[in-house]
Amino acid sequence: MNALSMKGITKRFKNVVANDDITFAVAKNTIHGLVGENGAGKSTLMNILYGLLEPDEGEIFVNEKIAGFKGPKDAIEAGIGMVHQHFMLAGPLTVTENIILGSEPEGGLFLNYKKAREMVAELSDRYGLIVDPDARIESIPVGLAQRVEILKTLYRGAKIIILDEPTAVLTPQEVRELLKIMDNLRKNGVTIIFISHKLKEIKRITDEITVIRHGKTIGTEPTSKVTENDIARMMVGRDVVFNVEKGKARILGQGLTLDGIVAKNDKGLTCLKHVSLEVKRGEIFGIAGVEGNGQSELLEVISGLRKPVSGNVMVCDRTNPDTGEKDITGMTPDEIYESGVAHVPEDRHKRGLQLNFNIEENLVTSLIHKKPFSSFGMICSDALANNAAEKIKEYDIRCGSSRVKAQNLSGGNQQKVVIARELSKQPRVIIIAQPTRGVDIGAIEFIHQKIIELRDSGVAVLLISAELSEIMNLSDRIGVIYEGEILETMDAADATEEKLGLLMAGIKKGVNANA
Amino acid sequence: MLNNMTNLKLSVKIAVIFILAFFLMAAQFTGAVSSAIAGETRWINVSSKISADGSMTREVKLSPDAELLKFAKAEFLGDFPDLIEEKCSDGLVKMTKKFVDLEECVGVLMVQKDLYFTDRYQIRQSLPLYPDEKVMRDIKVRFEFELPNGVIKILKDRKLQSRQLGSQTVNEFTLDHAGNMDLYYQFNNYKPITAVLLAAFLIFIAARMTRRFNFILIPVLAVLIAFFFAGIAIIVIGESPVSAMGAMYEGVFASRTNFLNMLLATTPLIFTGLAVSFAFNCGLFNIGGEGQVMIGGFAAALVGIVGLKFAINPMVHVIMAILAAGLAAGLYSLIAGVFRAKFNVHEVISTIMLNYIAYTLLGFLVVHPWFKENGPNPQTPEIAHSAFLPAFFARHDFNYGFILALVMAVFMWFILYKTSFGFNIRSVGLNAKAAEYSGINISKTIMLTMFISGMLAGLAGSERVMGLFHKYNSTAFVGYGIDGIAVSLLVNNNPLGIILSALLFGFLKTGGSYMNREIGVPVELVVVVQAVIIFFIAADKIVRNMLNVKESR
């Protein structure tokens, strides 16, 4: 019997067909993987399943019964629960309070906290999701917060749980824990739909997968019958190279040096504690670490968006790089760009792009006042158009025209615009953060290649990513950041997932685990 | 198939709206509706024959209604004893009087030979306030003037003023020897209105076929739909909507004077609209237009007064006064800019506060012996003639300030969209974090933008002082800043669109006050009509929804 089956689901937004006749079935007590690139239509499909959208055509069957969801409430009553990629939890409230929020147990006028606690404890035991019912959300780690999200769905009687990109924010150990939990849930009669584009995990845990591409179902296969390459090919439509070819690094000399950087974050807490590192020209230095350990602030310090409390940032001279370093600590962002540093920011929507500007304009932000883009203060639109045409070709940016607004591009193409712009500054040093977040597999390949090219052309590359495989694949040397400190630096050849995973969780060599 | 059905439904909706509009006009044609609501109309026919020797013989014909007779005697014949009263064959009463001297002022009637042109007659006929408006509502007057050369001019359907507190109203016009009354359009002439409606309908059909002109079409249709709804309100109070709307139209297009009045009302709104729009493009809300206009006006007045002591070349004087106004208002606005850039004080609060400061400060200065004129009024002395903004025509204040406003609009558009400076401003406005990341100095950009924004508002003040009032007084400058906000928002802060938006507001203001003065539409209703029109244009989503036009992305 199928726990869930979707037949002929079609959804149109104006003239874009987000879901085109999607048909697949999920068997009971299985973990079903839903795989597809960004923009393939996975989110739309899940929003339809959860009752947030109504399909234009098609039907949904839950436990072989037809379902017409008018809203999430109907979906929840039918036993469907959803754990979103970005958690919907209230920080100051406790685990228990978050779980029962909106569906408090009957108790008259006052909250029957005792009863709630009991119910949460019982669920926790039954499904093996260990949490401290009285802990406040803001003080527990991300992996535990995710368990709370899952408990929320179980509390409301979910028999079918949708997990949307659950591993994006977890350390390798936490990922392993999650996979164990999913296995446990399956044993206890829960059906899981696992949305991810991380093929390794898909292979590891799912029973069956459905691949979606451009809004259409490409196929449903038992996991055991397909390889990662097969899945990637179904997702993209062609063969995909996973590991980028790279030769040995050719070190040219000093590039970027950080010396004892101490900085405070927006809350006034010290977030960088004497960070020192060196990135030579011609190498890629990757910083691994779970988000929120000071990476953002580190990037801001280097690029001039945040003044450090103490310490120095030095870069090689732009015109004569071998003649020693220039102190750029505390300079403004435009001065730092002039000094030969480029920056691909971690949040391209917030920092990297003006979404309401078109591609031509986004390719020249921070360069607009220079020739040939403007002369005597007036913008030369021809220069902008020519530049855009060039970059669109070089970076294979898929767009209708160079006048398309940035917000209408897919994530991968947006990222390409940012990279195209930063590289056009001909930097000596480049800091790249989360280059492939929200980017589809085809574009990931391209971006990785470009980063290697940069390194081979003698640029010092500082790479920060939450994607461990990316760090390990691209870097020549790796440092792990934890709570504002670089715990250890090593050659990429010596790094293993185990080693890095432990460091990312703060466990140094010779110190006992503290979890 | 789906598209065709939608188009059909759509066309039916439009057709219904237009048919209803035509019915409204037709109703007025027969007088059925307004008579039905307002009651029977009483007529007074006033014929005035002007002779070459300067005397005028006036004949008033009306039904033998005692109340009406009393009224007519007083208003049109001056209640003099040498009236000749006789009964006519058709039952009407005819009263005749000869006025010997053209200069003879009979209280409410005056005929003068135009001071500047000897072959024109300036005729002033005022219609006073009466306490019992119900009596006055259904009286209509028909004026006929016969000139010495035999040319006859007729004014039909003049309604009496039913409500205006305080003063009399004056119908003043000049007739040349050919009987032409400036650019006079026959009142309640349906042709222009019909033509406009038909044209709009045709444009609409064409646009639906080409899907190209929605962005102009929607506002035009919004105005028509608004007129329709306003018309309903007007019928309810017993006025004729076509008369009222016609009056609004006439109040702007019926004579050159009226048209120039509209342009005069438009000019300061272009400036204050630009001020708001420029700031908006940087994500800043400049609500300080009120105060900045005043500061600018005062500065211009000061420079103008200096010219009373020293002789200054007019061109230099004008430029100096304009610069002073712009600089003063710009610096005043910069205060809010600095507070926002350095201390993150929201400019909505600081600019509103600064408005109060400007108003009271200038109110004080203007009664201070240093700046006050010799006289009872709280205003500066009149500025030197060398500081007057040159006017286009004699005897009307419409001045070159209008040209400056148009130039500024184009210039601001150019700065925002064609220069790297404007690029940076818009960047900060759209996403300050991304702008900061790309190296733009947010602080500097904010301050510079507020300065320019204030400067534009100050120019409005200078045009008023140098082109219209020729002095600064503390009460005449209220409202321009606030209207500027509406002007700008109506066109989504686009500098070129502001020209059109300001023209609309100028039209509404001028037409509205004419509607009130001439036709007796109560002031409150005038404001309602204005508001309904602005509402429908601003809420273009409503119009689009009504017409099922999807918003273009």
Side-chain angles (χ1 to χ4, degrees):
Chain A
M1 148 122 129
N2 283 331
L4 172 75
S5 108
M6 301 183 92
K7 292 208 173 112
I9 299 287
T10 304
K11 179 75 185 166
R12 294 182 198 93
F13 293 109
K14 288 195 211 179
N15 48 357
V16 173
V17 186
N19 291 149
D20 191 353
D21 194 26
I22 295 200
T23 302
F24 69 98
V26 178
K28 233 172 142 103
N29 287 351
T30 59
I31 297 180
H32 193 102
L34 192 62
V35 195
E37 296 190 297
N38 286 97
K42 305 191 299 284
S43 316
T44 310
L45 189 62
M46 288 305 108
N47 282 338
I48 290 176
L49 182 56
Y50 199 52
L52 289 165
L53 290 171
E54 269 193 71
D56 294 327
E57 286 163 36
E59 285 145 350
I60 306 173
F61 293 88
V62 178
N63 292 325
E64 311 276 321
K65 281 210 300 253
I66 195 164
F69 298 144
K70 293 268 179 285
K73 200 157 162 295
D74 295 335
I76 294 174
E77 270 170 35
I80 299 180
M82 184 140 158
V83 175
H84 297 269
Q85 192 176 356
H86 301 289
F87 302 155
M88 313 206 173
L89 297 170
L93 299 183
T94 65
V95 165
T96 309
E97 287 168 338
N98 268 282
I99 292 174
I100 63 173
L101 198 60
S103 314
E104 294 83 357
E106 301 294 304
L109 212 55
F110 297 98
L111 175 63
N112 193 344
Y113 196 74
K114 215 160 127 259
K115 187 142 182 271
R117 242 173 137 274
E118 276 167 24
M119 292 171 84
V120 167
E122 193 261 335
L123 276 174
S124 182
D125 280 335
R126 193 176 351 144
Y127 292 99
L129 291 156
I130 313 299
V131 286
D132 172 7
D134 298 313
R136 287 168 45 151
I137 296 292
E138 56 197 4
S139 61
I140 61 174
V142 169
L144 290 182
Q146 196 171 58
R147 289 188 202 171
V148 175
E149 281 279 3
I150 299 176
L151 279 170
K152 265 167 69 176
T153 64
L154 293 169
Y155 175 78
R156 284 158 184 76
K159 285 289 172 201
I160 304 171
I161 300 184
I162 308 169
L163 295 171
D164 188 0
E165 307 277 0
T167 58
V169 292
L170 301 177
T171 66
Q173 281 79 7
E174 285 174 326
V175 171
R176 263 198 290 271
E177 296 279 333
L178 176 66
L179 296 182
K180 265 198 270 188
I181 290 171
M182 284 166 69
D183 193 38
N184 211 354
L185 286 169
R186 174 176 44 187
K187 291 207 184 83
N188 272 293
V190 177
T191 310
I192 297 180
I193 299 181
F194 179 61
I195 303 177
S196 180
H197 58 266
K198 305 229 185 129
L199 303 181
K200 277 207 182 62
E201 294 159 9
I202 296 274
K203 272 294 285 179
R204 224 184 287 182
I205 193 69
T206 58
D207 301 310
E208 266 194 324
I209 63 161
T210 299
V211 180
I212 298 187
R213 182 169 91 225
H214 293 316
K216 298 188 176 58
T217 26
I218 301 299
T220 304
E221 304 287 337
T223 312
S224 48
K225 292 232 176 75
V226 286
T227 66
E228 276 179 48
N229 282 318
D230 293 330
I231 304 174
R233 202 179 311 121
M234 287 165 87
M235 281 167 74
V236 184
R238 56 177 171 82
D239 280 317
V240 178
V241 176
F242 282 111
N243 285 338
V244 136
E245 298 254 334
K246 71 173 199 223
K248 211 166 166 340
R250 266 188 334 130
I251 309 288
L252 291 181
Q254 300 281 70
L256 168 73
T257 309
L258 269 63
D259 188 20
I261 297 284
V262 176
K264 287 201 199 288
N265 63 14
D266 291 330
K267 294 198 182 126
L269 304 166
T270 310
C271 56
L272 292 172
K273 304 168 182 156
H274 292 285
V275 170
S276 302
L277 55 87
E278 257 182 33
V279 183
K280 303 266 200 300
R281 274 176 296 130
E283 76 169 347
I284 297 179
F285 185 92
I287 297 187
V290 176
E291 272 192 276
N293 278 293
Q295 295 97 316
S296 313
E297 289 83 1
L298 184 63
L299 288 165
E300 288 173 348
V301 165
I302 300 176
S303 61
L305 295 166
R306 185 180 292 273
K307 262 189 141 70
V309 168
S310 66
N312 295 320
V313 180
M314 288 173 291
V315 297
C316 58
D317 186 85
R318 189 181 195 172
T319 33
N320 295 311
D322 293 307
T323 58
E325 299 200 306
K326 185 171 137 184
D327 191 338
I328 61 167
T329 324
M331 283 189 175
T332 62
D334 53 322
E335 286 169 340
I336 293 180
Y337 285 134
E338 289 301 316
S339 310
V341 179
H343 175 192
V344 175
E346 56 181 344
D347 188 334
R348 56 178 171 269
H349 287 186
K350 194 166 97 171
R351 291 273 188 196
L353 291 170
Q354 282 288 6
L355 293 172
N356 262 301
F357 277 2
N358 62 34
I359 296 178
E360 290 178 8
E361 293 164 323
N362 271 294
L363 283 169
V364 298
T365 55
S366 77
L367 297 167
I368 189 77
H369 56 281
K370 294 190 189 229
K371 294 203 192 335
F373 302 119
S374 70
S375 66
F376 298 111
M378 291 187 295
I379 300 178
C380 307
S381 38
D382 286 336
L384 255 64
N386 291 338
N387 179 53
E390 223 181 271
K391 300 286 182 238
I392 288 176
K393 200 149 162 253
E394 199 187 321
Y395 290 80
D396 189 26
I397 300 174
R398 312 267 173 88
C399 56
S401 84
S402 62
R403 289 276 163 117
V404 169
K405 284 196 178 162
Q407 65 193 11
N408 292 328
L409 294 176
S410 73
N413 287 314
Q414 286 175 342
Q415 195 71 320
K416 285 186 194 170
V417 169
V418 177
I419 292 176
R421 176 187 68 228
E422 293 306 300
L423 295 195
S424 70
K425 291 176 184 164
Q426 317 253 329
R428 294 277 180 202
V429 174
I430 187 167
I431 49 180
I432 305 182
Q434 317 291 359
T436 54
R437 167 178 294 163
V439 175
D440 41 275
I441 292 200
I444 292 180
E445 215 190 332
F446 183 90
I447 292 173
H448 282 180
Q449 247 153 30
K450 271 277 176 245
I451 296 178
I452 300 288
E453 266 171 46
L454 263 181
R455 169 257 226 182
D456 289 338
S457 68
V459 177
V461 180
L462 178 64
L463 176 67
I464 299 186
S465 178
E467 201 73 42
L468 200 49
S469 56
E470 187 169 54
I471 296 278
M472 289 176 67
N473 194 221
L474 293 174
S475 318
D476 301 309
R477 286 192 303 131
I478 301 179
V480 180
I481 192 168
Y482 179 77
E483 289 191 350
E485 282 179 70
I486 305 277
L487 289 189
E488 205 180 300
T489 317
M490 64 188 86
D491 277 342
D494 300 330
T496 65
E497 216 184 89
E498 274 307 314
K499 246 191 194 170
L500 293 176
L502 285 169
L503 287 165
M504 279 162 75
I507 302 164
K508 286 161 88 139
K509 249 199 313 229
V511 178
N512 286 324
N514 54 352
Chain B
M1 173 62 194
L2 206 65
N3 268 333
N4 283 340
M5 281 303 291
T6 319
N7 269 335
L8 185 62
K9 265 199 294 191
L10 188 42
S11 307
V12 167
K13 279 191 196 175
I14 303 301
V16 167
I17 290 179
F18 277 103
I19 288 171
L20 283 169
F22 280 122
F23 268 126
L24 273 176
M25 294 182 349
Q28 174 54 24
F29 221 136
T30 62
V33 176
S34 50
S35 303
I37 295 178
E40 212 42 61
T41 311
R42 296 182 285 174
W43 282 94
I44 302 176
N45 202 11
V46 180
S47 285
S48 314
K49 187 178 155 109
I50 303 169
S51 321
D53 64 358
S55 67
M56 182 175 85
T57 310
R58 178 165 265 189
E59 210 175 73
V60 177
K61 249 182 159 175
L62 66 174
S63 55
D65 181 310
E67 195 179 48
L68 218 57
L69 279 166
K70 188 162 148 227
F71 169 73
K73 266 192 219 172
E75 293 313 315
F76 303 120
L77 298 166
D79 229 346
F80 274 70
D82 56 340
L83 270 180
I84 306 170
E85 200 173 311
E86 45 189 74
K87 262 218 154 67
C88 300
S89 46
D90 49 8
L92 299 174
V93 169
K94 184 165 84 173
M95 300 186 283
T96 316
K97 162 141 175 67
K98 181 165 172 172
F99 298 95
V100 173
D101 196 333
L102 265 184
E103 301 278 324
E104 186 175 24
C105 175
V106 239
V108 296
L109 166 65
M110 193 159 81
V111 178
Q112 286 177 320
K113 264 207 169 161
D114 194 288
L115 290 173
Y116 298 97
F117 302 96
T118 51
D119 59 351
R120 282 188 189 224
Y121 293 88
Q122 188 174 23
I123 298 159
R124 184 182 288 172
Q125 173 68 56
S126 62
L127 299 168
L129 171 70
Y130 273 81
D132 187 352
E133 54 181 83
K134 222 167 74 141
V135 169
M136 294 302 110
R137 182 175 285 171
D138 51 3
I139 294 179
K140 288 210 175 154
V141 183
R142 181 179 173 281
F143 285 102
E144 192 181 293
F145 291 94
E146 192 182 323
L147 297 172
N149 56 12
V151 170
I152 297 182
K153 189 73 202 172
I154 299 175
L155 299 173
K156 287 204 297 218
D157 285 355
R158 296 319 251 190
K159 286 198 70 170
L160 297 176
Q161 184 65 280
S162 58
R163 282 222 282 170
Q164 184 167 325
L165 296 174
S167 57
Q168 297 188 333
T169 62
V170 178
N171 255 328
E172 191 176 317
F173 42 82
T174 53
L175 288 174
D176 67 10
H177 64 278
N180 294 321
M181 186 187 272
D182 291 359
L183 292 168
Y184 181 77
Y185 288 98
Q186 188 77 7
F187 180 60
N188 268 344
N189 185 340
Y190 306 108
K191 290 193 199 121
I193 301 173
T194 316
V196 166
L197 280 177
L198 271 173
F201 194 39
L202 289 170
I203 295 175
F204 176 76
I205 301 292
R208 285 310 288 170
M209 292 180 173
T210 63
R211 303 198 113 245
R212 204 75 58 93
F213 294 105
N214 280 346
F215 75 99
I216 279 201
L217 201 65
I218 300 290
V220 166
L221 276 174
V223 172
L224 292 174
I225 293 176
F227 274 11
F228 173 68
F229 281 104
I232 293 179
I234 297 176
I235 288 181
V236 164
I237 68 155
E239 306 286 350
S240 149
V242 181
S243 307
M245 292 310 176
M248 188 176 255
Y249 180 87
E250 187 181 270
V252 170
F253 294 109
S255 69
R256 191 182 66 181
T257 308
N258 290 355
F259 190 74
L260 295 181
N261 282 341
M262 179 190 74
L263 293 181
L264 199 56
T266 301
T267 310
L269 295 179
I270 297 181
F271 283 120
T272 50
L274 282 176
V276 172
S277 121
F278 199 80
F280 238 109
N281 274 286
C282 189
L284 300 168
F285 293 67
N286 183 4
I287 316 289
E290 292 285 297
Q292 287 147 22
V293 166
M294 293 178 188
I295 297 268
F298 190 72
L302 286 186
V303 172
I305 296 172
V306 163
L308 293 172
K309 282 255 172 75
F310 311 96
I312 309 180
N313 173 297
M315 203 156 80
V316 170
H317 201 183
V318 165
I319 293 179
M320 267 171 50
I322 292 179
L323 285 177
L327 192 65
L331 288 174
Y332 195 67
S333 174
L334 184 60
I335 298 175
V338 168
F339 278 6
R340 171 65 195 256
K342 302 289 181 199
F343 308 110
N344 210 17
V345 173
H346 204 294
E347 68 281 353
V348 168
I349 301 189
S350 48
T351 52
I352 292 181
M353 292 291 136
L354 285 168
N355 283 343
Y356 286 107
I357 294 176
Y359 182 72
T360 44
L361 177 67
L362 293 176
F364 164 71
L365 286 179
V366 119
V367 296
H368 192 280
W370 280 2
F371 305 111
K372 189 166 168 303
E373 67 164 8
N374 300 326
N377 298 321
Q379 55 196 15
T380 65
E382 198 182 71
I383 59 178
H385 279 237
S386 50
F388 278 32
L389 270 173
F392 276 98
F393 307 98
R395 296 181 304 118
H396 197 284
D397 292 311
F398 177 59
N399 58 72
Y400 279 83
F402 183 70
I403 303 294
L404 181 63
L406 293 180
V407 165
M408 276 321 221
V410 174
F411 189 40
M412 289 304 125
W413 170 83
F414 182 79
I415 291 184
L416 281 175
Y417 293 98
K418 295 286 174 190
T419 65
S420 51
F421 176 51
F423 184 89
N424 287 350
I425 292 178
R426 286 183 297 129
S427 199
V428 172
L430 286 171
N431 182 346
K433 286 231 174 272
E436 185 191 20
Y437 152 85
S438 72
I440 298 175
N441 186 330
I442 309 282
S443 192
K444 231 166 69 173
T445 308
I446 288 179
M447 294 195 288
L448 213 45
T449 303
M450 285 303 281
F451 176 84
I452 295 176
S453 174
M455 178 201 77
L456 289 163
L459 291 180
S462 76
E463 186 270 344
R464 296 280 96 174
V465 166
M466 293 159 64
L468 179 61
F469 301 121
H470 305 307
K471 58 176 66 139
Y472 179 84
N473 88 50
S474 47
T475 47
F477 287 72
V478 175
Y480 296 111
I482 296 298
D483 285 337
I485 300 174
V487 165
S488 182
L489 288 179
L490 205 60
V491 285
N492 229 2
N493 308 306
N494 181 308
L496 295 178
I498 277 171
I499 298 177
L500 295 175
S501 180
L503 277 168
L504 173 72
F505 273 77
F507 172 83
L508 290 174
K509 276 183 194 292
T510 315
S513 77
Y514 186 86
M515 228 162 92
N516 173 252
R517 276 200 330 262
E518 301 300 318
I519 314 307
V521 176
V523 159
E524 292 83 351
L525 191 62
V526 168
V527 171
V528 165
V529 171
Q530 291 172 342
V532 168
I533 292 174
I534 295 169
F535 177 79
F536 271 96
I537 293 185
D540 76 329
K541 282 208 167 62
I542 291 185
V543 179
R544 283 178 196 270
N545 205 11
M546 277 169 127
L547 310 180
N548 266 332
V549 176
K550 292 281 164 70
E551 212 164 310
S552 54
R553 246 309 193 102

